[in-house]
Amino acid sequence: MRIKDLVATAISNTFRSKLRTTLTVLAIFVGAFTLTLTNAVGAGVSQYVDAQVGALGSPDVFIITQATDASTAGDGPVEFDASSSASVASNQGPPGTTTKALTDADLVTIGATAGIESVDPIRSVQPDYIEYDSGTPYEFSINATSAVTTADLTAGAQLDGGASEAQLVLPDTFVLPLGFASAEDAVGASVSIGITDILGEKHTVDATVVGVSLESLLAAGAGANDALIAELADAQSSGIDTAVTSYGVAVAHFDTTLSADAITALKADLATAGYTARTIEDQLGAVQTVINGIVGVLNAFAVIALIAAAFGIINTLLMSVQERTREIGLMKAMGMSSGKVYTLFSLEAIVIGFLGSAIGAGVAIGLGSALSAALSQGLLSGLPGLNILLFEPASVTFVIGLVMLIAFLSGTLPAQRAAKQNPIESLRYE
């Protein structure tokens, strides 16, 4: 009997006992359905977190501040040290913690640290408004670190950090109020940003919209490249005789080929020099760990359901072997080898596994996609860009393959029993 004939016979034999096969397939269906949904939840949430993390900075970037002094936090005011640089509020420690501002000398020291490729200060700007084509102006803010972030775009392109032209990535909530027909319509348009200097004089800076992004939960404001930040900072400080030489935060790029241990050592070197360096992973790595843990627990329940279904497959095939004892004896008496008998029953197990997993995954995708769309328009509408159930082809294929493997392993015992049948004794079986 050829392989093609074995497969056809296995499919036919699977439906001999329709009720028993259906119940076994339903048990597998539950496990495959659950596992497909939990993987989709994990993929959807992880994609959203990655998009939010991208709004905070690039993975090859340190956010650097002066080392935080929390020794006197909560003990009242800190005595002023005239020899130190100015202090700025800090969110890196307990309430009341302050950190010294970075100076140009600090930037030189950081840049000279082995492993650091470049370092740039973050210049904070507070624009007043944004308007398009002399229309209605709207209050407006800019994310100070946007030059090193990756926006979650709905249209256009990312900022070009090396461009001399002032570029802006506009939050999608501004598109319609400013008078654009769509996000695509806004890309390429020139907008005006108003800002007030230290003396109260009004200034206007023009910028080109290169992209439109979804709003981030972790980083508020529009994106601006270095050229736009520089123009706005110059306008904001135009009433000051001396240039600003202190900064709250700096951004340092490090070699992307460094290993995790080398990055840890580099942070230690900066800490020794008196600076705190944090990567995006440091800030939000725990969030991804929690998500992976929750998805792992949900997957564990699905695997338990699949294990229970595996016993159903064993029971179904053992009953089939017993009922078909004389048939097995006849097949072996007519020349079918033990190996082909084993293959036949193994294929029956795989067919049952495929039916349960394919139906379970298909129903999960259909119901999950409809549920995800409904939640995006309703309960989760406040989280733009979140696709709570993301079905990835590779993940769905993995689930189906895993279930078929479990089914094959479950069918090993019944298949071995069938292969070992003595044809003479089997033909005499009543």
Side-chain angles (χ1 to χ4, degrees):
M1 186 177 286
R2 295 173 297 179
I3 293 296
K4 181 176 67 174
D5 297 325
L6 285 173
V7 173
T9 303
I11 294 173
S12 175
N13 290 340
T14 299
F15 295 99
R16 278 190 171 186
S17 178
K18 293 182 174 60
L19 179 60
R20 189 164 60 221
T21 298
T22 299
L23 292 176
T24 305
V25 167
L26 285 175
I28 297 172
F29 166 88
V30 173
F33 177 84
T34 305
L35 192 58
T36 302
L37 283 182
T38 53
N39 281 345
V41 170
V45 175
S46 294
Q47 183 193 58
Y48 183 71
V49 170
D50 289 342
Q52 297 301 307
V53 169
L56 287 181
S58 171
D60 63 340
V61 160
F62 282 138
I63 304 297
I64 297 182
T65 61
Q66 286 274 15
T68 302
D69 180 11
S71 60
T72 56
D75 295 333
V78 179
E79 184 176 347
F80 175 68
D81 180 2
S83 63
S84 67
S85 58
S87 296
V88 295
S90 172
N91 60 0
Q92 305 295 321
T97 299
T98 60
T99 183
K100 299 299 181 183
L102 297 168
T103 64
D104 288 337
D106 291 317
L107 300 182
V108 173
T109 301
I110 295 169
T113 304
I116 297 296
E117 295 185 338
S118 65
V119 59
D120 299 292
I122 297 299
R123 304 175 68 181
S124 178
V125 293
Q126 288 86 36
D128 300 324
Y129 65 87
I130 184 174
E131 67 176 359
Y132 169 64
D133 198 24
S134 301
T136 304
Y138 292 90
E139 292 184 1
F140 188 65
S141 64
I142 286 179
N143 175 13
T145 61
S146 56
V148 294
T149 62
T150 302
D152 188 8
L153 296 174
T154 60
Q158 299 289 345
L159 296 167
D160 182 358
S164 58
E165 173 193 30
Q167 296 181 347
L168 183 75
V169 170
L170 189 69
D172 65 337
T173 52
F174 282 83
V175 171
L176 296 180
L178 286 175
F180 298 110
S182 64
E184 290 74 13
D185 184 44
V187 175
S190 178
V191 295
S192 298
I193 301 171
I195 192 166
T196 304
D197 67 22
I198 193 67
L199 299 179
E201 184 178 347
K202 305 293 184 181
H203 301 267
T204 301
V205 175
D206 293 330
T208 301
V209 177
V210 296
V212 176
S213 67
L214 295 173
E215 285 197 339
S216 169
L217 296 178
L218 305 176
N225 69 341
D226 292 334
L228 178 55
I229 292 288
E231 285 191 44
L232 290 170
D234 290 342
Q236 185 174 261
S237 60
S238 61
I240 304 176
D241 293 335
T242 57
V244 176
T245 58
S246 63
Y247 318 94
V249 180
V251 170
H253 290 266
F254 56 84
D255 188 352
T256 56
T257 62
L258 292 178
S259 64
D261 291 340
I263 292 174
T264 300
L266 181 54
K267 286 191 284 188
D269 291 341
L270 289 167
T272 301
Y275 308 104
T276 299
R278 295 171 63 85
T279 63
I280 299 304
E281 185 177 351
D282 293 333
Q283 299 179 62
L284 290 174
V287 175
Q288 191 64 57
T289 300
V290 170
I291 293 171
N292 291 338
I294 293 173
V295 172
V297 171
L298 295 175
N299 282 342
F301 286 107
V303 171
I304 291 172
L306 288 175
I307 292 174
F311 287 104
I313 294 174
I314 295 173
N315 177 68
T316 296
L317 292 180
L318 283 176
M319 292 291 291
S320 179
V321 170
Q322 184 175 356
E323 292 173 355
R324 294 156 57 190
T325 299
R326 295 189 66 184
E327 179 186 331
I328 294 170
L330 181 60
M331 287 189 295
K332 298 189 75 172
M334 294 178 66
M336 181 178 280
S337 65
S338 296
K340 287 189 176 180
V341 173
Y342 178 90
T343 302
L344 177 62
F345 280 87
S346 295
L347 286 173
E348 291 181 24
I350 292 173
V351 169
I352 292 174
F354 174 74
L355 288 174
S357 61
I359 295 172
V363 173
I365 292 172
L367 291 180
S369 297
L371 178 62
S372 181
L375 290 175
S376 296
Q377 299 298 321
L379 186 63
L380 301 178
S381 59
L383 301 174
L386 172 59
N387 185 8
I388 191 63
L389 291 166
L390 179 63
F391 297 96
E392 298 176 327
S395 177
V396 174
T397 301
F398 170 76
V399 170
I400 294 175
L402 175 64
V403 174
M404 291 176 66
L405 175 61
I406 292 174
F408 169 75
L409 295 176
S410 301
T412 299
L413 176 61
Q416 285 180 337
R417 179 169 295 187
K420 291 179 180 179
Q421 294 277 7
N422 185 297
I424 303 301
E425 294 179 359
S426 298
L427 287 170
R428 292 174 178 174
Y429 180 81
E430 295 293 338

